[in-house]
Amino acid sequence: MDTKSTSITSLHIRKKLELFLSYWKIILLCLFIGLGVAFVYLRYATNVYLAYATIKIKDEDQSKKIRGIEGTNSTGGLFSDGTNKIKDEIAIMTSRTILEKAAKKLKLNILCFAQGNVKEVEMYKNPPVKLSFFESDSIIHKVDTIFYMKIKSPSEFILFNQPVKSFSKRDENEGKNYAFGDKINTGFGGVVFTPNIGAYAPKVGSDLSIVIKPLSTVVYGYQQSIVVTTGEGSSIITLELKQSNLQKAKDILNQIIEEYNDDVLLDKENVIKVTSEFINKRLNVVSQELEEVDYTAEELQKTNKLTALDSQADLYLQSERNNEARIMETANNLKLIEFLQAEVNDENKASDLLPLNVIDNQNVAQVTSNYNELVSQRDRILKNSSEKNPIVIKLNDEIKAQKENLQNTLSKMQESNQITLNSLNREDARIRGQLYSAPAKERQFRNIERQQGIKESLYLYLLEKREESNITLGMYSDNAKIIDKAYSSNIPVAPNVNFVYLAAFMLSMGLPMGIIYLKDLLDTKIYSKDELIELIKVPYIGDIPKSSKKEKLIGRVDYTPKAEAFRIVRSNIDFLLKNVENRSKKLFVTSTKAQEGKSHTSTNLASSISFSNKKVLLIEMDIRVPKILKYLDIDNLNHKKGLTDYIVDKSIKPETVIVNHPSNEYLDILPSGSIPPNPSELLMNERVEEIIKYAENKYDYIVVDTSAVGLVSDTLLISKFADMFIYVVSVDNVDKRQFVHVAQPLYEENRLPKLTLLLNGVKKGKKGYGYGYGYGSTPNKKKKWYNFFKS
């Protein structure tokens, strides 16, 4: 960027800065108002606190108190299948079921507020008044109402239908008196208000509001406000909740974690209960069968008098004993497989869960554990969803596949054990055939004894499994390990004091500055010399500051900024017209339109020149709307004739129509005279040139007040007589586009000789463009009281 561009940019920034500084009072006022509003807002705004709680979702093995017992152990864990099940746990944790239990436990649908003049404060932990209902919870949890009360005494209160109005006293006659403990009938049944005691007792004269909300609305609100976050692949969960009452936020988060743990424990223990019920049912069946076998053996011994069986044990070969042990084990396995198949194929069960570890087979245990885990996960999701949920549909498919896998496994095991049993039976028949000498009755008894051993073995096995199930029932711990209970920094997160004040500061500064900037951007008026000379490259003769209407004319001894400004203009004119000698200098004053200070400029310019002891003639050539005599305050002179009369009547002499100023011997005035019907044609008369030539040799300066060139052509008709045209531009009056449209062609075509620009009505500091005038002291001017202390 070159030096010129940098200079232009710097100048532009400085102008904008000066523009804003010119409105410093308004900006400062907006700043005070903005900060005041922020202060009032912070004073009466309700603080909002953020509570945190951090937990870790434990794996299946981690949630057991005793790891050594295999029981319902599964080889997989919470994350064993590679899927992110933490999201499922988060969904369960924030489900309506969990939140509803927490809301009921903490009674979040019943709120108590103490009303102040501006805002109300929730009395959460120990409300001054407690509410009891006669109807059931199912009805109360749907109620949506508010009780407004005023504590009249420690034993009485007044109930109102409407809340108390801020900054006003409530008329007690509008309410109804009740005593604490009275039954109050409402649309949803009777209610009873009871006061708290001690430090939490209701204060006499205080206004309270008891709000009862539908439980579903409360639960939905907390579903939206509770934020649960976790890292990718992490089992650490952070719960966040914003509330106006910090203790309430902590209690809610802690209660949600507690309800979640209870729900998960209930799901896990349901699996153990199903297993125990299955084992108890099988024990009853095996116990009856064992009794029947024992009774048969007893009857056989009595009938055949077989009392010395022990002495005959040496008849049996060791191989037979081993073989029979294997037969009992295999028959036992077949029976357990049969029981488990019946359980798997039972479609009328209350639960889809299957008993675990009934058969001592690792493959069956793994398949059954995976099956139960899928069923538990599906049932938990169904608590807050439906069968059409895509996740539920996917889980049902997986459950069906696991069930078919289990059925196939059991069928293969049954076939394998049956083949083994047949082989063992054939081997047993072969061995028994070798014992041909054994009595047939003993062999019959031996068969019964073998059945008796099988039943006893199965019965003992089931007793062992039942004991393991009972132990497992109490071995699970909470699924969510609490890392940090609900806590908070006790610093409100809303409203943020620094942010509110910063926002108030930026808004109260930015809004007025933005309006000022936009107004300046859209403003097409002219305010400064720089703007004027940027529009048209015409010599600039000076600017006149704005003054009060009482100070229309400058004085001979005058040190006001306006008087100094006209002296500067006078000096600039002399410099520009220094080549005009031996005759008067003719100064024509015009403007774009009316009301730009053309006559004001002509009058004061003529006066300023005359104060330098120069003979001046002020001609009022704006014959359409003459104002010169009024400005000079001499319109009451008995002088009826003027310029128009001179032009029309050739018998009138110039000295007849020229008037001398009563208090200024150096200033003469040629009034406009009678207002003609044809001013343009009149100004084309040769008599205009005659009177100007007459004045050329008699006066040092001729100041002509002409018509506005943007409205009529009068000025152009007489422009040839001018030595200089002073084009008056009024600040904040003429549009830039109109000015350029009128002045540019006149200057380029030289239709207004020696055209110069004069800016009128400049305001000090207006839009950052102000000029100071005056130097020294004004004689006889009274000082303000605060200036007496200045030297």
Side-chain angles (χ1 to χ4, degrees):
M1 183 179 293
D2 56 16
T3 305
K4 184 177 180 181
S5 300
T6 304
S7 177
I8 293 174
T9 303
S10 177
L11 180 63
H12 178 74
I13 294 174
R14 183 176 62 81
K15 286 182 178 180
K16 292 303 177 185
L17 182 60
E18 291 175 350
L19 169 66
F20 296 134
L21 291 176
S22 68
Y23 290 94
W24 69 270
K25 293 181 181 179
I26 295 176
I27 295 174
L28 188 61
L29 177 62
C30 292
L31 179 60
F32 283 146
I33 293 174
L35 293 178
V37 171
F39 174 78
V40 173
Y41 168 75
L42 291 173
R43 170 66 178 82
Y44 295 106
T46 301
N47 290 335
V48 177
Y49 300 89
L50 178 61
Y52 302 86
T54 307
I55 61 174
K56 181 181 186 299
I57 303 298
K58 293 185 286 188
D59 205 343
E60 185 72 21
D61 290 338
Q62 295 173 337
S63 63
K64 292 180 181 179
K65 296 177 182 176
I66 305 174
R67 296 189 183 181
I69 298 178
E70 294 181 354
T72 56
N73 182 38
S74 63
T75 58
L78 187 63
F79 313 104
S80 61
D81 60 353
T83 60
N84 190 2
K85 295 185 180 179
I86 285 291
K87 293 182 179 179
D88 295 338
E89 301 303 317
I90 291 175
I92 294 169
M93 193 175 301
T94 57
S95 64
R96 293 189 63 86
T97 303
I98 300 297
L99 293 180
E100 189 172 296
K101 290 179 181 178
K104 288 179 180 178
K105 193 73 68 71
L106 297 175
K107 297 183 178 179
L108 298 179
N109 60 321
I110 302 176
L111 310 173
C112 180
F113 295 93
Q115 304 218 355
N117 290 329
V118 177
K119 65 178 182 179
E120 56 184 15
V121 180
E122 182 181 358
M123 315 295 287
Y124 163 67
K125 200 65 178 177
N126 293 285
V129 175
K130 296 182 179 179
L131 194 58
S132 301
F133 303 94
F134 285 85
E135 293 295 335
S136 62
D137 288 345
S138 60
I139 295 176
I140 301 304
H141 288 161
K142 297 179 181 178
V143 174
D144 186 4
T145 188
I146 303 177
F147 294 99
Y148 303 100
M149 65 170 58
K150 185 179 184 67
I151 306 302
K152 188 175 182 182
S153 69
S155 60
E156 293 182 328
F157 63 93
I158 306 173
L159 209 59
F160 299 91
N161 293 325
Q162 297 295 331
V164 62
K165 296 180 180 178
S166 299
F167 306 108
S168 64
K169 292 184 178 180
R170 188 198 292 276
D171 185 3
E172 295 184 359
N173 295 325
E174 296 178 358
K176 188 174 181 180
N177 292 323
Y178 290 97
F180 285 112
D182 289 349
K183 180 181 178 181
I184 302 173
N185 294 319
T186 65
F188 53 86
V191 296
V192 173
F193 291 97
T194 55
N196 210 329
I197 58 175
Y200 306 107
K203 296 180 181 179
V204 177
S206 62
D207 290 294
L208 303 176
S209 58
I210 312 298
V211 180
I212 306 176
K213 295 182 178 181
L215 191 63
S216 59
T217 303
V218 174
V219 170
Y220 178 77
Y222 284 114
Q223 272 189 312
Q224 302 303 310
S225 57
I226 293 175
V227 178
V228 184
T229 57
T230 183
E232 184 67 29
S234 173
S235 60
I236 304 294
I237 293 177
T238 300
L239 293 87
E240 299 178 5
L241 177 61
K242 293 179 181 179
Q243 287 280 283
S244 59
N245 188 290
L246 180 56
Q247 187 58 46
K248 184 176 182 180
K250 293 179 180 178
D251 290 348
I252 292 172
L253 292 182
N254 288 332
Q255 191 64 41
I256 289 173
I257 296 172
E258 182 180 336
E259 296 297 336
Y260 167 75
N261 276 329
D262 291 345
D263 183 73
V264 173
L265 284 175
L266 183 62
D267 286 343
K268 292 180 178 179
E269 291 176 354
N270 282 338
V271 177
I272 307 303
K273 290 179 181 179
V274 169
T275 303
S276 298
E277 291 173 359
F278 171 79
I279 292 174
N280 288 330
K281 189 192 303 182
R282 295 298 101 191
L283 273 173
N284 292 332
V285 175
V286 173
S287 177
Q288 292 178 2
E289 293 178 352
L290 184 58
E291 288 179 2
E292 292 177 0
V293 172
D294 289 342
Y295 178 77
T296 303
E298 181 181 354
E299 289 297 321
L300 184 62
Q301 283 184 326
K302 289 179 180 180
T303 303
N304 297 284
K305 298 179 181 181
L306 298 174
T307 58
L309 295 177
D310 292 337
S311 61
Q312 302 176 9
D314 55 343
L315 298 177
Y316 296 96
L317 298 174
Q318 186 64 32
S319 60
E320 182 185 18
R321 293 174 180 174
N322 294 336
N323 192 65
E324 288 180 352
R326 293 179 63 191
I327 290 174
M328 286 190 293
E329 180 183 356
T330 306
N332 185 18
N333 287 337
L334 282 171
K335 199 67 175 178
L336 289 173
I337 291 171
E338 181 183 344
F339 291 161
L340 190 55
Q341 282 180 325
E343 186 72 12
V344 171
N345 297 325
D346 188 358
E347 301 293 340
N348 298 320
K349 293 192 304 177
S351 173
D352 289 338
L353 297 172
L354 295 176
L356 287 174
N357 299 309
V358 174
I359 299 174
D360 190 10
N361 182 277
Q362 188 66 27
N363 190 24
V364 173
Q366 176 64 47
V367 174
T368 307
S369 177
N370 293 341
Y371 172 86
N372 285 339
E373 185 179 345
L374 291 172
V375 171
S376 297
Q377 186 178 354
R378 181 200 63 186
D379 292 344
R380 288 167 67 188
I381 294 174
L382 282 174
K383 292 179 181 179
N384 302 283
S385 183
S386 65
E387 293 285 351
K388 296 181 179 180
N389 190 320
I391 297 177
V392 174
I393 294 173
K394 180 181 177 182
L395 288 173
N396 282 332
D397 293 339
E398 293 179 7
I399 290 169
K400 184 178 178 181
Q402 289 289 348
K403 191 172 183 179
E404 291 176 354
N405 187 16
L406 181 61
Q407 289 173 337
N408 293 334
T409 302
L410 291 175
S411 297
K412 291 178 181 179
M413 287 181 62
Q414 188 179 32
E415 292 175 2
S416 176
N417 278 273
Q418 187 62 51
I419 293 172
T420 302
L421 182 61
N422 293 338
S423 176
L424 292 173
N425 285 332
R426 287 194 296 271
E427 179 65 18
D428 185 67
R430 186 186 64 78
I431 294 173
R432 283 189 289 125
Q434 295 176 356
L435 301 176
Y436 59 91
S437 59
K441 292 181 179 181
E442 287 187 15
R443 289 198 301 271
Q444 182 181 6
F445 179 77
R446 187 57 188 158
N447 289 334
I448 294 174
E449 191 179 45
R450 185 187 300 116
Q451 294 180 16
Q452 189 178 27
I454 292 172
K455 301 300 181 184
E456 286 178 355
S457 176
L458 181 59
Y459 184 78
L460 292 174
Y461 178 80
L462 291 175
L463 283 177
E464 179 184 353
K465 290 299 179 181
R466 184 174 68 177
E467 188 62 26
E468 289 181 3
S469 296
N470 291 335
I471 294 173
T472 307
L473 188 62
M475 66 182 278
Y476 281 107
S477 63
D478 294 339
N479 194 48
K481 177 185 177 181
I482 299 176
I483 298 175
D484 287 316
K485 282 191 174 183
Y487 67 97
S488 174
S489 62
N490 296 327
I491 299 175
V493 295
N496 188 317
V497 177
N498 295 332
F499 176 79
V500 170
Y501 276 122
L502 179 62
F505 176 81
M506 295 182 66
L507 186 62
S508 56
M509 290 287 287
L511 186 61
M513 290 176 69
I515 294 175
I516 292 169
Y517 180 79
L518 185 61
K519 180 176 178 294
D520 178 66
L521 193 66
L522 299 177
D523 193 354
T524 59
K525 302 296 178 63
I526 299 171
Y527 294 94
S528 70
K529 170 187 174 181
D530 294 336
E531 290 181 339
L532 191 58
I533 61 178
E534 282 180 4
L535 296 173
I536 181 173
K537 303 301 180 181
V538 176
Y540 187 78
I541 199 172
D543 44 64
I544 308 300
K546 186 175 180 62
S547 59
S548 65
K549 293 183 179 180
K550 296 180 180 179
E551 300 175 351
K552 291 182 180 179
L553 297 177
I554 61 174
R556 182 179 294 276
V557 182
D558 194 342
Y559 294 93
T560 60
K562 183 164 72 171
E564 292 292 347
F566 276 107
R567 291 189 186 104
I568 294 174
V569 172
R570 183 184 69 192
S571 299
N572 292 335
I573 290 172
D574 288 339
F575 177 78
L576 293 173
L577 297 180
K578 60 184 178 181
N579 294 328
V580 178
E581 299 176 349
N582 302 323
R583 64 176 178 85
S584 63
K585 299 175 180 179
K586 301 184 287 296
L587 311 175
F588 282 46
V589 182
T590 187
S591 64
T592 305
K593 63 177 186 176
Q595 304 298 323
E596 287 199 70
K598 175 173 54 61
S599 299
H600 169 270
T601 302
S602 302
T603 305
N604 281 286
L605 179 60
S607 299
S608 179
I609 296 173
S610 68
F611 292 152
S612 63
N613 296 333
K614 300 292 184 182
K615 194 67 175 176
V616 181
L617 174 63
L618 177 59
I619 301 177
E620 192 175 28
M621 206 166 284
D622 185 1
I623 58 179
R624 297 173 184 266
V625 187
K627 294 180 181 179
I628 295 295
L629 296 181
K630 186 176 181 181
Y631 264 104
L632 292 171
D633 199 20
I634 57 175
D635 55 341
N636 56 353
L637 293 177
N638 294 322
H639 193 84
K640 304 295 184 181
K641 297 185 182 295
L643 177 64
T644 56
D645 301 291
Y646 171 80
I647 296 173
V648 173
D649 190 353
K650 295 184 178 182
S651 63
I652 297 177
K653 301 297 181 180
E655 55 269 16
T656 305
V657 293
I658 295 175
V659 181
N660 185 257
H661 193 282
S663 60
N664 188 347
E665 59 178 319
Y666 291 98
L667 179 61
D668 291 343
I669 304 101
L670 177 56
S672 64
S674 303
I675 298 177
N678 54 343
S680 296
E681 289 76 7
L682 200 62
L683 291 175
M684 296 172 65
N685 196 290
E686 60 184 11
R687 295 274 285 176
V688 175
E689 184 178 1
E690 289 178 6
I691 197 166
I692 290 177
K693 286 184 177 181
Y694 166 80
E696 274 185 351
N697 299 319
K698 198 170 182 180
Y699 295 93
D700 297 316
Y701 288 87
I702 299 174
V703 180
V704 181
D705 180 26
T706 65
S707 302
V709 293
L711 300 177
V712 293
S713 62
D714 298 2
T715 302
L716 299 176
L717 299 175
I718 57 174
S719 63
K720 60 185 178 180
F721 303 118
D723 291 325
M724 174 186 288
F725 260 93
I726 300 175
Y727 199 109
V728 178
V729 180
S730 178
V731 168
D732 195 15
N733 189 354
V734 65
D735 190 282
K736 293 178 182 179
R737 295 164 294 183
Q738 183 185 9
F739 166 72
V740 173
H741 177 72
V742 174
Q744 186 73 35
L746 293 177
Y747 175 72
E748 291 177 352
E749 297 170 10
N750 198 26
R751 300 183 67 183
L752 298 179
K754 205 81 173 185
L755 183 63
T756 60
L757 298 177
L758 184 143
L759 191 62
N760 181 43
V762 176
K763 299 176 184 178
K764 186 177 181 180
K766 177 65 176 175
K767 295 188 71 175
Y769 313 116
Y771 304 93
Y773 297 91
Y775 182 78
S777 302
T778 302
N780 303 322
K781 183 177 180 180
K782 292 184 179 180
K783 290 185 177 181
K784 299 292 184 180
W785 64 270
Y786 49 80
N787 288 328
F788 281 105
F789 301 98
K790 299 179 180 179
S791 58

